[in-house]
Amino acid sequence: MANIIVVGAQWGDEGKGKVVDCLTEKANVVARYQGGHNAGHTVVIGNEQFILHLIPSGILHKEKLCVMGNGLVIFPEALIEEIEELRKRKVEVGDNLKVSKNAHMIMPYHAIMDGIKESKKGDKKIGTTGRGIGPAYADKIARSGIRISDLYWPELFKEKITNNLVEINFLLKNLYNEEPLDAVAIYDTYMRYAQALAQHVDDTDVIIDNAIKAGKQILFEGAQGTMLDIDHGTYPYVTSSSACAGGAMTGLGVGPKTIDEVLGVVKAYTTRVGGGPFPTELENNVGELLREKGGEYGATTGRARRCGWLDLVVLRHAVRVNGLTGLIITKLDILDGFDKIDVCVSYKYKGKILNDFPKELPVLEACEPLYEQFDGWTESSSNVQSFAKLPKNARAYLKMIEEKLGVPIVIISTGKTRDDIIYLKDFQTTR
Ligand code: IMP
């Protein structure tokens, strides 16, 4: 298989977990490049369902190497729990999981700060998962972050927590009226984490480089999605990492020439969880129907996802900022049975037609989506395993997406399990 980046093309929850699981069969290494335990990737194998938050879903395949890159922020307790849960369910997690020494850690104060800051935002709440993601990335950029490798330098680690707590405890006490945190208690807890994770911590950039030199194929797994990217998303209603394809380079320490394909995962309609603008949102019974049929409830927080029609302005943006070479369409079957299907082709702002996603929040918030309407289909597209067997109007819907975006559809997912998939390209290695 070629070296492929898989990235969410909308606001996350496009079904990347299942797709990555299927593509892993053809890869040797699966490497995740950003985010933390805010993500939730659902994979169904036979009658079993796995929800992974941190570990790449490639772990569910034997003999594949899974890498968690330097671009992640890792709450060690969540990672250890995930490892233990997988082991309980007889999934091997040993030398097949490597964690970057340079990944930053989520510290107890990050989740506290996340909660406090969010609670002060009134009606401008981002709807964070409250996992401490934003504050951990903020510390990384402010150069006061604590990395996984620091766990193995106890004196240095203690000094870093103690220094960070000077400011944190001042804020907690004086600004937020909260109890201060104890450096020794945090130190002791994290030393236990250090032991539990030691086997996995490594120089992941070197591991990936060696794998590439040995002709191995790498699958780069993104979490969240393009519109939640810190630079290219609907800022400030975004997550705090580089969810776009560029994040794979910095988040794992590989060069752009390593990549053969950038595949955007596109849900056949649109969802978003949390606050922020969403032009094609349907706050009516159609949105409700999409939510119920699609089981649109968060894998991490259980929150109901906001639902709406497919938005080609969003997807045009995703094609551009990721350099998408192929599209993966998921959850097509959720549109089965709709008489008519609307697709947003552009926005209208103060009488002007916008084809490109606007950068300014006030413009975006005032945009009206302009729709084209397509005929739906009554036949089931669920579990269909060849393009020719899809309902005629479903094929027309897919062709329309390809034509309007100028990017080929390379995979169609038609259900939850590994068999419910149509490959339109074989991804043989080009190297
Ligand atoms: P945070 O990443 O927890 O700071 O949350 C920031 C925004 O990103 C919120 O709107 C979350 O709902 C959203 N978000 C974070 N992770 C995911 C995800 O995996 N899927 C969908 N939305 C997410």
Side-chain angles (χ1 to χ4, degrees):
M1 189 182 79
N3 291 330
I4 296 177
I5 300 178
V6 173
V7 63
Q10 294 150 317
W11 276 279
D13 306 319
E14 296 92 352
K16 293 181 294 296
K18 184 240 159 116
V19 167
V20 168
D21 178 62
C22 288
L23 282 170
T24 298
E25 240 164 66
K26 302 165 191 270
N28 306 102
V29 180
V30 187
R32 185 168 153 190
Y33 57 85
Q34 43 70 238
H37 63 314
N38 49 350
H41 293 158
T42 307
V43 183
V44 178
I45 304 173
N47 296 327
E48 277 202 90
Q49 173 166 291
F50 294 85
I51 298 179
L52 296 157
H53 299 285
L54 273 167
I55 301 176
S57 31
I59 201 76
L60 303 172
H61 290 251
K62 280 202 175 123
E63 287 159 33
K64 308 284 173 172
L65 181 65
C66 289
V67 173
M68 294 169 60
N70 56 279
L72 276 88
V73 286
I74 297 173
F75 183 44
E77 189 177 312
L79 177 56
I80 293 164
E81 261 174 31
E82 202 161 301
I83 292 172
E84 283 172 359
E85 178 62 25
L86 285 168
R87 284 182 182 152
K88 248 192 252 160
R89 297 176 71 180
K90 306 273 176 288
V91 177
E92 184 199 332
V93 189
D95 287 340
N96 55 343
L97 177 67
K98 297 291 178 198
V99 179
S100 169
K101 287 179 186 170
N102 281 5
H104 280 247
M105 283 192 291
I106 296 185
M107 305 300 292
Y109 43 84
H110 290 137
I112 296 174
M113 285 301 184
D114 216 6
I116 294 175
K117 288 189 175 184
E118 182 82 338
S119 71
K120 306 259 176 238
K121 288 204 163 87
D123 64 353
K124 301 256 182 312
K125 282 193 179 25
I126 291 165
T128 74
T129 58
R131 305 286 199 269
I133 307 293
Y137 277 113
D139 271 0
K140 169 178 171 171
I141 301 302
R143 293 165 295 190
S144 51
I146 304 185
R147 306 203 283 194
I148 292 274
S149 61
D150 293 324
L151 287 174
Y152 304 96
W153 299 87
E155 286 313 309
L156 186 68
F157 178 61
K158 197 181 272 172
E159 192 183 313
K160 288 192 177 185
I161 315 176
T162 310
N163 286 344
N164 284 358
L165 282 186
V166 173
E167 193 182 318
I168 300 279
N169 279 342
F170 179 84
L171 290 176
L172 286 176
K173 243 171 77 185
N174 300 304
L175 190 61
Y176 301 126
N177 221 2
E178 297 276 343
E179 287 297 307
L181 297 173
D182 175 26
V184 176
I186 297 178
Y187 173 83
D188 290 345
T189 308
Y190 276 66
M191 283 299 106
R192 283 200 298 279
Y193 298 154
Q195 245 180 356
L197 292 179
Q199 170 187 13
H200 306 290
V201 177
D202 220 319
D203 292 320
T204 50
D205 56 334
V206 177
I207 291 173
I208 292 189
D209 189 43
N210 287 341
I212 291 170
K213 283 183 181 142
K216 303 261 166 72
Q217 274 80 55
I218 321 289
L219 185 59
F220 298 90
E221 176 182 353
Q224 287 87 40
T226 302
M227 303 315 286
L228 289 171
D229 180 279
I230 187 75
D231 287 285
H232 300 293
T234 46
Y235 191 89
Y237 297 95
V238 291
T239 191
S240 302
S241 61
S242 297
C244 283
M249 316 288 92
T250 52
L252 282 155
V254 296
K257 284 188 153 185
T258 314
I259 308 301
D260 302 302
E261 298 265 4
V262 185
L263 305 183
V265 186
V266 177
K267 203 183 281 192
Y269 47 100
T270 313
T271 62
R272 144 158 238 180
V273 59
F278 177 2
T280 63
E281 181 170 20
L282 295 166
E283 290 178 282
N284 56 19
N285 56 353
V286 179
E288 189 64 34
L289 187 61
L290 287 171
R291 182 175 312 116
E292 289 315 312
K293 281 185 80 180
E296 296 296 352
Y297 295 89
T300 299
T301 58
R303 289 179 291 177
R305 296 179 187 141
R306 301 155 64 192
C307 297
W309 294 122
L310 193 71
D311 186 339
L312 293 179
V313 186
V314 162
L315 293 180
R316 241 175 255 134
H317 180 69
V319 168
R320 182 171 44 245
V321 299
N322 292 297
L324 296 184
T325 59
L327 305 174
I328 300 175
I329 307 292
T330 62
K331 298 186 110 168
L332 183 65
D333 53 315
I334 305 306
L335 296 182
D336 293 355
F338 279 92
D339 185 31
K340 298 282 176 194
I341 298 171
D342 287 347
V343 173
C344 168
V345 290
S346 50
Y347 298 156
K348 194 167 169 185
Y349 174 71
K350 293 193 173 169
K352 252 179 74 184
I353 306 293
L354 306 183
N355 290 312
D356 295 324
F357 198 78
K359 305 284 185 295
E360 308 91 329
L361 201 60
V363 177
L364 181 58
E365 282 171 340
C367 276
E368 178 199 336
L370 298 180
Y371 291 106
E372 278 181 23
Q373 196 166 65
F374 298 87
D375 288 332
W377 52 93
T378 48
E379 314 91 304
S380 168
S381 67
S382 216
N383 319 114
V384 171
Q385 291 171 12
S386 85
F387 187 78
K389 289 194 176 140
L390 285 172
K392 183 167 156 271
N393 285 350
R395 279 184 275 143
Y397 184 71
L398 296 171
K399 283 284 164 211
M400 173 277 295
I401 296 172
E402 275 191 336
E403 275 162 23
K404 291 206 185 280
L405 296 177
V407 180
I409 293 174
V410 292
I411 296 175
I412 304 158
S413 166
T414 56
K416 285 185 181 168
T417 73
R418 282 177 175 171
D419 295 331
D420 304 327
I421 194 154
I422 303 169
Y423 290 101
L424 300 173
K425 188 170 181 175
D426 66 5
F427 302 109
Q428 288 308 311
T429 179
T430 52
R431 284 163 198 279

